[in-house]
Amino acid sequence: MDGLGEAVAGLLGHHRDRCLTPAGIDGSVPLWITENGWPTGPERSPQRQADVLETIVTAVANCRIQQNIGGYTHFALRDADSTKPGLFYRFGLLSDDYRPKPAFDTYRRLVRRFGGAQLFSPS
């Protein structure tokens, strides 16, 4: 997907090597990817949300050992308000009436695929 997976892995490596290590935080300290997501809305289709989620989680999973990733947590299970056009209302894997978006099934599949690797936070 347009180099997104490589960009995610590169940013995680950069953060580890160029930000944390110089600050005295070595590689034994796990990174936790939290509040990550891609909102739906005008010009942001639910299918694009699912595709971005798949790409990002797969990239994180693929570099979890090298970068010592402790876990991944998606931003929101449910939209705050699916009727509002602003980006920050529609990060959920479900609409505000709890109807699943395509990303919901994608996330469930990713949990099955990578959950044994302890990638997903229990919270």
Side-chain angles (χ1 to χ4, degrees):
M1 169 177 282
D2 305 334
L4 178 59
E6 294 82 8
V8 168
L11 286 170
L12 289 170
H14 174 83
H15 186 68
R16 172 71 75 193
D17 298 339
R18 303 288 172 102
C19 299
L20 297 178
T21 300
I25 302 170
D26 70 27
S28 67
V29 177
L31 296 176
W32 288 82
I33 312 303
T34 61
E35 296 195 13
N36 181 257
W38 180 269
T40 58
E43 300 181 26
R44 289 175 168 261
S45 74
Q47 186 56 53
R48 176 75 174 169
Q49 180 189 42
D51 295 343
V52 169
L53 177 66
E54 173 117 28
T55 300
I56 289 174
V57 170
T58 300
V60 169
N62 288 341
C63 69
R64 73 184 178 276
I65 294 170
Q66 179 185 11
Q67 299 301 334
N68 191 14
I69 306 295
Y72 174 92
T73 304
H74 190 270
F75 185 76
L77 176 62
R78 173 187 168 273
D79 284 350
D81 188 336
S82 300
T83 64
K84 294 197 176 180
L87 293 177
F88 296 100
Y89 296 102
R90 299 166 90 175
F91 272 93
L93 304 174
L94 307 169
S95 64
D96 62 1
D97 65 359
Y98 295 95
R99 281 180 294 128
K101 298 180 191 177
F104 181 76
D105 286 330
T106 298
Y107 196 68
R108 287 187 340 170
R109 187 172 28 79
L110 291 165
V111 168
R112 283 193 301 270
R113 181 175 173 195
F114 298 119
Q118 303 297 323
L119 182 62
F120 293 92
S121 170
S123 59

